[in-house]
Amino acid sequence: MGKGKVGFSVMALLVILGLILGSSSASSDDRRQRWRKTMLSGEMMSSMMLNRIGSSIVFPLHGNVYPIGYYNVTLNIGQPSRPYFLDIDTGSDLTWLQCDAPCRQCTEAPHPLYRPSNNLVICKDPICASLQPPGEHNCQDPEQCDYEVEYADGGSSLGVLVKDVFLLNCTNGKRLNPLLALGCGYDQFPGRDHHPIDGILGLGRGISSIPSQLSSQGLVQNVIGHCLSGRGGGFLFFGEDIYDSSRVAWTPMSRELSKYYSPGFAELIFNGKSTGIINLLAVFDSGSSYTYLNSRAYEGLLFSLKRELSGKPLGETPDQTLPLCWKGKKPFKSIRDVKKYFKTFALSFISGGRTKTKFEFSPEAYLIISSKGNACLGILNGTEVGLRDLNVIGDISMQDRLVVYNNEKQVIGWVAANCDRLPKSKISFF
């Protein structure tokens, strides 16, 4: 949830929780049941209409890689509806808000804590089961589902699953108000470089993610995409009627790492030539500000970069922003001032067992200019932070590209795009 954060969540053992979300009278139960029926009826009507004419949902994004350290979206949730800022995370499934249930430990947040409805997700719900370790789906109370998620940066959230109304505006002008499951997090532990945020928007492949839930209700296709502007902001979308598929470079999602958005194994290419470094298992993670390579690839990249920089008017310099930075004769104002010294590298993926799809890293996709005017490498050693051999493509490397995760067709795609304005048609942002 902050600069350098890696968004991957890991399953934690089910803990014994004692949260009681209050009691209600029989009359309030009756009113709530009538309200649920009304909501479900509205969902069915919306589903029938959307299946007939199709639509997408587009969300403006705020934030940047540096100096803010993350991109967030505003979602309106609850009855009455209130806005919340959520860190977008394709590396995890569960959406959760810091929650006054009451809160045992919450971190600084931009809005008042979320107040849950009394609509608990029961233990036997498939969404509850999907968040538990395999073979350990046991609940102390069958009428509620406790959860705990941990992130690779050391952060965590513990709470209970509830359902509440999300207010969503479609590109066809329709407004949806589906009832979706989310986490009421009443015990949070901040990770490294924590930033104030209301919660996490889980965009992963699991059934608990918001896009998966919307798809299961027939409201939108299970297709997710984002366009992160290098100047800050951008947009997130659900559905596939706003981009031209023929313009996108596609590669199949990996079967080896089915939990995450992975195009599989890659070869590291530097300046158009093979480095001999192969079998790099890569994933896309919008919850990570920077890109992480395993030790072998990271050291190989550093070797190639430093060899190319030999004799250039740049010198390594200490900078608290990132581990490796370079300075010039005078402070750099933008990447344009320094990009001529740095080469493009790429991860080359085998697509369909035949052709190779390359994800290229131009200097803009791996450098930032620090507040001191130094050029700093936004590629970090993932092995040193506990990612082992996993290679993470983070926000810095996805800027000014449309990245699409098509769960319907099990493919990932990317294309250069204008991320500075919301799309109005399939071609308006290319």
Side-chain angles (χ1 to χ4, degrees):
M1 295 171 288
K3 184 171 61 180
K5 167 187 172 286
V6 181
F8 295 110
S9 65
V10 294
M11 293 297 184
L13 294 176
L14 186 64
V15 296
I16 299 176
L17 305 175
L19 179 69
I20 303 297
L21 289 178
S23 60
S24 59
S25 65
S27 60
S28 64
D29 283 341
D30 292 341
R31 288 196 299 271
R32 187 162 59 254
Q33 290 298 330
R34 289 196 297 270
W35 172 77
R36 288 177 186 170
K37 290 179 180 179
T38 301
M39 294 302 302
L40 290 173
S41 176
E43 289 172 6
M44 291 176 62
M45 292 298 292
S46 297
S47 173
M48 292 170 61
M49 185 171 295
L50 285 168
N51 284 335
R52 189 167 61 247
I53 62 177
S55 187
S56 292
I57 305 169
V58 179
F59 310 87
L61 294 177
H62 303 280
N64 54 41
V65 171
Y66 179 82
I68 293 177
Y70 64 95
Y71 289 86
N72 71 275
V73 64
T74 302
L75 285 186
N76 293 288
I77 303 170
Q79 287 283 323
S81 173
R82 291 184 172 88
Y84 299 97
F85 295 164
L86 287 84
D87 190 350
I88 63 168
D89 188 7
T90 58
S92 64
D93 295 334
L94 180 66
T95 293
W96 57 265
L97 291 172
Q98 296 203 95
C99 181
D100 186 10
C103 187
R104 184 181 303 168
Q105 176 175 289
C106 284
T107 60
E108 181 185 356
H111 293 104
L113 297 178
Y114 167 68
R115 297 296 299 271
S117 68
N118 226 18
N119 196 354
L120 290 166
V121 173
I122 61 175
C123 179
K124 68 179 181 180
D125 191 298
I127 289 179
C128 182
S130 74
L131 296 170
Q132 315 303 325
E136 297 187 28
H137 183 38
N138 300 306
C139 299
Q140 184 184 30
D141 183 348
E143 295 304 312
Q144 74 178 49
C145 176
D146 303 316
Y147 78 87
E148 182 175 4
V149 291
E150 297 178 347
Y151 298 91
D153 71 335
S156 65
S157 175
L158 183 149
V160 64
L161 290 189
V162 298
K163 289 187 178 181
D164 215 331
V165 175
F166 285 60
L167 297 187
L168 305 170
N169 295 315
C170 297
T171 53
N172 63 4
K174 300 298 179 182
R175 175 170 289 187
L176 304 179
N177 50 5
L179 197 61
L180 304 175
L182 72 154
C184 163
Y186 56 82
D187 194 347
Q188 273 65 243
F189 185 83
R192 297 183 299 269
D193 302 308
H194 171 72
H195 287 265
I197 203 73
D198 293 313
I200 297 290
L201 176 59
L203 300 171
R205 299 173 69 178
I207 65 171
S208 65
S209 76
I210 296 301
S212 294
Q213 292 187 61
L214 290 171
S215 175
S216 69
Q217 295 182 20
L219 300 176
V220 69
Q221 289 180 299
N222 195 353
V223 178
I224 305 155
H226 53 70
C227 205
L228 310 177
S229 174
R231 289 151 293 283
F235 60 88
L236 168 75
F237 66 89
F238 304 158
E240 64 172 347
D241 69 337
I242 67 165
Y243 66 92
D244 184 348
S245 179
S246 66
R247 295 173 178 248
V248 179
W250 296 101
T251 190
M253 292 185 187
S254 170
R255 295 182 179 179
E256 287 81 5
L257 202 63
S258 60
K259 181 174 175 57
Y260 301 115
Y261 292 117
S262 170
F265 293 94
E267 176 183 8
L268 180 63
I269 307 294
F270 187 87
N271 196 24
K273 299 178 181 178
S274 174
T275 63
I277 300 173
I278 60 175
N279 296 327
L280 300 173
L281 186 57
V283 298
F284 287 82
D285 179 19
S286 66
S288 175
S289 303
Y290 297 116
T291 289
Y292 293 80
L293 298 178
N294 66 26
S295 290
R296 181 169 56 104
Y298 180 73
E299 294 299 334
L301 176 63
L302 288 192
F303 174 81
S304 298
L305 282 173
K306 291 181 178 181
R307 182 179 58 189
E308 286 293 331
L309 292 174
S310 178
K312 302 293 193 305
L314 296 175
E316 292 184 28
T317 183
D319 191 309
Q320 293 181 343
T321 306
L322 286 165
L324 180 57
C325 299
W326 295 269
K327 66 178 180 179
K329 295 180 179 180
K330 58 182 180 179
F332 302 117
K333 295 181 179 179
S334 71
I335 299 296
R336 290 191 298 271
D337 296 337
V338 72
K339 65 178 295 183
K340 62 184 178 182
Y341 302 121
F342 291 86
K343 300 295 184 180
T344 293
F345 69 94
L347 290 176
S348 179
F349 300 97
I350 296 176
S351 178
R354 297 180 181 178
T355 62
K356 291 187 176 181
T357 306
K358 289 183 180 179
F359 188 93
E360 294 190 335
F361 298 76
S362 66
E364 292 88 347
Y366 65 86
L367 294 174
I368 64 105
I369 302 300
S370 75
S371 60
K372 296 181 179 180
N374 299 319
C376 297
L377 180 65
I379 310 289
L380 304 175
N381 189 327
T383 306
E384 290 184 350
V385 298
L387 293 175
R388 299 184 180 180
D389 277 339
L390 202 60
N391 301 275
V392 176
I393 300 172
D395 293 343
I396 189 172
S397 304
M398 295 189 283
Q399 293 177 116
D400 299 315
R401 278 188 257 213
L402 186 77
V403 180
V404 183
Y405 314 91
N406 190 322
N407 290 299
E408 304 283 348
K409 298 179 181 178
Q410 294 291 290
V411 291
I412 302 172
W414 53 85
V415 61
N418 181 355
C419 302
D420 292 328
R421 64 177 185 269
L422 297 182
K424 296 180 180 179
S425 69
K426 289 187 176 182
I427 62 173
S428 64
F429 52 91
F430 288 103

